[in-house]
Amino acid sequence: MRSVDRAVSVLEILARRGEAGVTEIADELGVHRSTAFRLLGVLENRGLVAQAGDRGKYHLGAGVLRLARAAAVRLDVSQEGVPVCRDLADELGETVNTAVLDDFAAVNIMQARGTASVTAQDWLGRRTPLHATSSGKVFLAHMTPALREEYLGRPLHRFTDHTLTETSLLRGELERAAEQGYASTREELELGLVAVAAPVRAHDGAVIAAISVSGPVYRLTPDRLPRLGARTAAAAAELSRRMGYGF
């Protein structure tokens, strides 16, 4: 933990100073110069700091910008998604979530509940599996082929008797999800739970989030799913416009 704390301190020093040498950083940290040099080496290997030519000075690297952009996207999607998700929840009466992809898991970052879902489970902050959730299937459907195959090459956990663990069947579902604009699950994560989800895109067209509508199996019947899917896709398209897509 001390090393992590020191590494974060190095980043804070460089953010404040703009650039600094090994000796300056060591003095601020109160450590030996060799310790500061090792910390800088690790951070440089991860692209979080970079050395300014042959002057021996270090500054923040492009890796920090990458992390900052990722955090900003999550914040923007969460904020911009509030009115969209609330309107959808009020209209349909079901639970609406916005999820983002996080290291082969879907994480719900915003939730709105409709009048019919007052007793619904709280999904906010939960990490959920990609192959057994509607949001997860959206992310899988729009991943690069290499990343998708990496996920499908792993053992797929069966949560219920309805969970798709055969990769050939799952690939077929992902193809349909990409074609029709939404994905669905029926009691694949939890018995009695049905959900549909659609992709949210950034200004460059990349899928950065998914909006899902979930509810009990007795309300979200098979004949309702196409309409729910289309309505969810329309809400996701609205949020995509708010994120700059299509302009």
Side-chain angles (χ1 to χ4, degrees):
M1 292 300 295
R2 180 179 297 179
S3 295
V4 173
D5 182 68
R6 286 172 173 171
V8 173
S9 295
V10 170
L11 297 178
E12 291 175 340
I13 291 168
L14 294 179
R16 185 176 70 253
R17 283 174 169 252
E19 63 177 23
V22 177
T23 301
E24 295 169 297
I25 292 171
D27 288 344
E28 281 216 33
L29 292 177
V31 299
H32 193 274
R33 190 175 185 279
S34 61
T35 300
F37 188 77
R38 285 196 299 271
L39 288 169
L40 286 163
V42 172
L43 293 171
E44 187 175 19
N45 287 337
R46 301 304 295 268
L48 298 176
V49 304
Q51 200 164 11
D54 57 357
R55 292 180 298 157
K57 298 282 188 178
Y58 287 85
H59 57 81
L60 293 178
V64 173
L65 296 176
R66 183 182 68 250
L67 296 176
R69 280 196 298 267
V73 165
R74 287 193 178 197
L75 181 61
D76 289 345
V77 168
S78 180
Q79 291 177 341
E80 294 293 338
V82 169
V84 176
C85 291
R86 283 181 177 166
D87 287 348
L88 188 61
D90 289 343
E91 176 186 340
L92 300 178
E94 306 294 350
T95 299
V96 177
N97 280 284
T98 300
V100 294
L101 182 65
D102 184 40
D103 190 24
F104 282 154
V107 180
N108 294 296
I109 61 172
M110 189 271 162
Q111 179 173 273
R113 295 183 180 181
T115 54
S117 60
V118 291
T119 59
Q121 185 172 348
D122 187 359
W123 295 95
L124 194 61
R126 283 187 55 179
R127 293 173 59 85
T128 56
L130 300 185
H131 65 287
T133 59
S134 57
S135 292
K137 288 182 181 180
V138 165
F139 294 130
L140 283 173
H142 295 279
M143 272 182 186
T144 63
L147 280 176
R148 182 165 53 248
E149 290 308 310
E150 181 182 345
Y151 182 87
L152 296 179
R154 301 178 173 190
L156 301 180
H157 181 72
R158 183 180 295 277
F159 297 92
T160 74
D161 290 341
H162 305 282
T163 308
L164 288 181
T165 56
E166 291 186 36
T167 55
S168 59
L169 295 177
L170 188 52
R171 285 192 184 94
E173 281 225 354
L174 298 179
E175 289 178 5
R176 285 191 294 275
E179 291 172 0
Q180 66 189 8
Y182 68 90
S184 64
T185 54
R186 189 172 183 81
E187 300 188 279
E188 295 173 39
L189 179 63
E190 294 183 0
L191 291 175
L193 180 68
V194 178
V196 296
V200 176
R201 299 180 183 274
H203 65 91
D204 59 358
V207 173
I208 55 173
I211 290 180
S212 68
V213 176
S214 59
V217 65
Y218 64 84
R219 278 204 307 265
L220 274 59
T221 54
D223 59 301
R224 285 192 66 196
L225 289 190
R227 186 178 72 84
L228 287 172
R231 184 63 190 88
T232 304
E238 169 61 23
L239 182 50
S240 296
R241 283 190 290 272
R242 287 171 174 261
M243 298 303 296
Y245 181 62
F247 292 99

